[in-house]
């Protein structure tokens, strides 16, 4: 009898059996925020961004009294429901970044993302938690004429900027992965890992340093402090007053009314197979640890896990607010079905392998493809992190380190000539309440979906 498909990430099942590396959080479930609490620093959001901020704060100043609050529990959101691809990318593609921000800044942006990848790899060793880490390469590849043109523009820009991102022919792609792609770009600084395990290891390290955690406490409102008056955070069963606050709440910024521009909540999807046989594992990057991302928006991408499963993500993204539950469920099922169809076409060894898990997770998107890492409403001691646009595994950790440094040291240092375009207080605003704007958003998502589905 075929086992039922579990609607959770494949590492969630491993955690229950104790087989997933680095899963133990080292802390018991935490109580809600009740009554009136105080702290030096309040961090709202126990995903990678919030936990990285907390970890780096405690590394810089162990005397701080830090409280971490989450609407559910650590890694309950995107940080535990991603696909675990760790690669260099932040903001728009390199050719568009060079046109928008200039060649020098585009080069610095790319190198910052490479450093972020290397930092996450080092962090797993620092934490003593392997997290299913597999270092290797990442290929951004294509099977369409428009994809070839896009990769060619990017390749020329990388070469002009003196960056080591070589072009791979179809044969060179085949040497690494036995899949039918026409060409690709090779990113050498890359890896894959279990994102929930990394989040759990960070939470355990923070708890060991004396950080207090409170679960099941969704933020309902905020009263920023002024002068000697602390910031007050409002929760269903209590309040938390702190000298400084970090709101690592991603797309929840909109419902909270935070003045950080528009960070759209989009639901993305993934499936995972049962462990593959040795031949299929080798054909799909087993020895090299190579992952592949299709260059077309929302087209499938895949990677092997530490225990030989193939994780495949992509498909149509869904804008959640206002969507009926039955409609959302129908779209999820349709996308999972489409991903399985694409999975079967990748390689003959995948024709009969069972799909064991399927899941979805919410990411935060901005209209200009850049994250937002900055102050909330100009308040020097209230910061926001969000909008990584699907590239948050490495950059969330980097953003947390940046905010921790800004809180402990002189905040003006983060605003000088060395800042990056994502070090900003707000993204462009999209008036989603207006019917024309909703129509534009719907058309944008549908165009990305059609582009992905045209991929053979």
């Amino acid at each position: 009898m075929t086992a039922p498909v579990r609607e959770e990430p494949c590492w969630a099942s491993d955690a229950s059996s104790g087989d997933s590396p680095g899963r133990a959080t080292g802390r018991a479930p935490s109580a809600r925020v009740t009554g009136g609490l105080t702290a030096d620093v309040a961090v709202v959001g126990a995903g990678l961004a919030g936990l990285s901020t907390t970890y780096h704060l405690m590394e810089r100043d162990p005397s701080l009294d830090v409280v971490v609050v989450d609407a559910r529990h650590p890694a309950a959101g995107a940080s535990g429901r991603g696909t675990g691809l760790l690669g260099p990318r932040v903001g728009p593609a390199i050719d568009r970044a060079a046109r928008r921000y200039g060649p020098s800044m585009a080069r610095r942006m790319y190198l910052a993302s490479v450093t972020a990848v290397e930092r996450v790899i080092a962090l797993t060793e620092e934490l003593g938690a392997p997290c299913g880490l597999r270092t290797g390469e990442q290929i951004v590849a294509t099977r369409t004429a428009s994809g070839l043109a896009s990769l060619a523009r990017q390749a020329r820009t990388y070469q002009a900027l003196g960056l080591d991102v070589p072009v791979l022919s179809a044969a060179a792609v085949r040497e690494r992965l036995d899949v039918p792609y026409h060409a690709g770009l090779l990113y050498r600084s890359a890896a894959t890992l279990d994102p929930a395990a990394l989040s759990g290891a960070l939470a355990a390290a923070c708890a060991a340093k004396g950080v207090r955690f409170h679960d099941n406490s969704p933020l309902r409102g905020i009263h920023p402090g002024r002068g000697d008056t602390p910031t007050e955070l409002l929760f269903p069963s209590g309040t938390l007053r702190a000298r400084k606050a970090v709101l690592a709440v991603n797309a929840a910024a909109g419902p909270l009314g935070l003045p950080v521009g528009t960070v759209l909540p989009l639901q993305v999807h993934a499936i995972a197979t049962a462990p593959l046989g040795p031949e299929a594992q080798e054909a799909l990057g087993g020895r090299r640890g190579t992952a592949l991302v299709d260059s077309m928006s929302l087209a499938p991408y895949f990677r092997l896990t530490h225990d030989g499963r193939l994780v495949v993500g992509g498909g149509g993204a869904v804008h959640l607010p206002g969507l009926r539950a039955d409609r959302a469920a129908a779209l999820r099922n349709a996308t999972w079905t489409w991903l399985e169809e694409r999975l079967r076409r990748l390689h003959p060894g995948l024709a009969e392998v069972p799909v064991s898990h399927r899941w979805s997770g919410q990411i935060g998107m901005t209209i200009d493809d850049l994250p937002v890492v900055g102050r909330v409403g100009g308040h020097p001691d209230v910061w926001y992190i969000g909008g990584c646009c699907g590239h948050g595994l490495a950059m969330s950790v980097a953003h947390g380190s940046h905010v921790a440094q800004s809180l402990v040291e002189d905040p003006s240092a983060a605003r000088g000539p060395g800042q990056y375009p994502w070090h900003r207080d707000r993204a462009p605003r999209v008036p989603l309440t207006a019917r024309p704007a909703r129509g534009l958003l719907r058309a944008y998502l549908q165009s990305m979906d059609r582009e992905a589905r045209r991929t053979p």
Side-chain angles (χ1 to χ4, degrees), residues 192-244:
T192 60
L193 52 73
D194 172 347
L198 177 60
S199 302
L202 278 170
C206 293
K209 295 175 182 292
V211 173
R212 293 179 283 154
F213 284 81
H214 291 277
D215 299 343
N216 299 312
S217 300
L219 183 64
R220 297 303 191 208
I222 177 172
H223 298 149
R226 295 186 181 278
D228 294 333
T229 303
T231 290
E232 184 177 42
L233 303 166
L234 310 178
F235 301 93
S237 302
T239 61
L240 172 57
R241 294 163 65 88
R243 293 190 296 109
K244 301 183 180 188

Side-chain angles (χ1 to χ4, degrees), residues 105-446:
M105 179 56 76
R107 187 176 194 277
R108 291 183 58 238
M109 290 166 64
Y110 174 76
L111 292 176
S113 72
V114 171
T115 299
V117 170
E118 294 168 347
R119 173 57 181 147
V120 172
I121 294 171
L123 188 59
T124 62
E125 182 175 350
E126 190 177 307
L127 295 169
C131 302
L133 178 72
R134 299 179 74 240
T135 57
E137 304 167 332
Q138 186 177 106
I139 300 173
V140 175
T142 187
R143 286 184 281 182
T144 67
S146 58
L148 284 170
S150 174
L151 291 187
R153 291 191 296 270
Q154 294 176 55
R156 289 192 295 269
T157 306
Y158 282 123
Q159 184 176 30
L161 298 179
L163 296 170
D164 180 26
V165 182
V167 176
L168 297 180
S169 65
V173 172
R174 285 272 190 184
E175 288 177 6
R176 291 166 167 81
L177 296 166
D178 187 14
V179 290
Y181 280 80
H182 299 332
L185 296 175
L186 178 67
Y187 296 86
R188 304 184 197 275
S189 295
T192 60
L193 52 73
D194 172 347
L198 177 60
S199 302
L202 278 170
C206 293
K209 295 175 182 292
V211 173
R212 293 179 283 154
F213 284 81
H214 291 277
D215 299 343
N216 299 312
S217 300
L219 183 64
R220 297 303 191 208
I222 177 172
H223 298 149
R226 295 186 181 278
D228 294 333
T229 303
T231 290
E232 184 177 42
L233 303 166
L234 310 178
F235 301 93
S237 302
T239 61
L240 172 57
R241 294 163 65 88
R243 293 190 296 109
K244 301 183 180 188
V246 179
L247 308 179
V249 297
N250 205 16
L256 288 169
L258 302 181
V260 296
T262 300
V263 181
L264 295 167
L266 296 185
Q267 197 84 353
V268 293
H269 306 80
I271 60 174
T273 69
L276 306 180
E279 290 186 9
Q281 286 191 42
E282 183 58 28
L284 295 165
R287 181 163 41 90
R288 291 178 177 268
T290 304
L292 185 140
V293 178
D294 196 301
S295 66
M296 307 304 284
S297 298
L298 304 178
Y301 51 89
F302 66 86
R303 61 95 164 188
L304 283 172
T305 64
H306 72 283
D307 59 349
R309 301 174 187 272
L310 193 73
V311 173
V312 182
V318 179
H319 182 231
L320 294 174
L323 198 64
R324 293 197 323 266
D326 59 339
R327 178 60 177 156
L331 289 171
R332 279 197 304 273
N333 288 324
T335 302
W336 285 329
T337 298
W338 180 79
L339 283 173
E340 183 171 351
E341 291 171 353
R342 290 303 187 270
L343 163 74
R344 304 298 178 200
R345 300 181 191 179
L346 278 173
H347 189 270
L350 299 173
E352 302 295 334
V353 64
V355 170
S356 60
H357 297 75
R358 59 186 193 177
W359 66 97
S360 61
Q362 184 174 292
I363 63 172
M365 297 286 294
T366 62
I367 206 70
D368 62 357
D369 297 322
L370 280 176
V372 179
V373 184
R375 297 174 177 87
V376 176
H379 296 282
D381 295 327
V382 182
W383 285 69
Y384 167 81
I385 305 173
C388 283
C389 301
H391 302 286
L393 185 47
M395 292 309 300
S396 289
V397 173
H399 297 332
S401 177
H402 167 79
V403 171
Q405 178 183 2
S406 300
L407 289 172
V408 172
E409 299 177 5
D410 180 8
S412 64
R415 307 287 292 181
Q419 68 173 339
Y420 294 101
W422 56 86
H423 292 159
R424 56 184 183 164
D425 293 344
R426 63 179 63 213
R429 186 171 176 273
V430 179
L432 293 177
T433 54
R435 186 170 298 176
R438 284 186 177 272
L440 285 172
L441 174 62
R442 189 179 303 110
Y444 170 67
L445 292 175
Q446 289 173 347

